[in-house]
């Protein structure tokens, strides 16, 4: 289900597009820490979704294809 990874990448890109003009206006230490943590989280999200897109990892359980097997009691 690669379309979920693509949608998450597009959403992360949109968030970066919205946040980018605000990042240079950070003047306090707390603002630098916040935007630094935000950018690290952004890189983690993008990296994880690229790994899922390139099939380097297994997709989450809710995105995996179900195999219809008959359960025996």
């Amino acid at each position: 289900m690669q379309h979920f990874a693509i949608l998450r990448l597009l959403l992360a890109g949109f968030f970066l597009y919205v946040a980018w003009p605000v990042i240079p206006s950070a003047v306090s230490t707390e603002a630098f820490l916040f935007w630094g943590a935000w950018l690290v989280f952004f890189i983690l999200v993008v990296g994880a979704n690229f790994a899922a897109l390139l099939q380097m990892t297994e997709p989450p359980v809710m995105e995996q294809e179900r195999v219809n097997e008959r359960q025996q009691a």
Side-chain angles (χ1 to χ4, degrees), residues 20-58:
W20 193 257
V22 182
I23 293 173
S25 66
V27 292
S28 66
T29 306
E30 292 85 14
F32 280 122
L33 288 174
F34 172 78
W35 287 115
W38 192 91
L39 288 172
V40 168
F41 182 69
F42 172 78
I43 290 170
L44 287 173
V45 167
V46 169
N49 282 297
F50 270 126
L53 192 62
L54 298 173
Q55 297 177 350
M56 298 171 70
T57 60
E58 289 189 27

Side-chain angles (χ1 to χ4, degrees), residues 1-17 38 41-55 63:
M1 300 232 175
Q2 295 180 349
H3 58 281
F4 286 127
I6 293 170
L7 287 173
R8 286 189 295 259
L9 283 170
L10 288 172
L11 183 63
F14 173 73
F15 286 152
L16 182 65
Y17 173 76
W38 192 91
F41 182 69
F42 172 78
I43 290 170
L44 287 173
V45 167
V46 169
N49 282 297
F50 270 126
L53 192 62
L54 298 173
Q55 297 177 350
E63 294 179 13

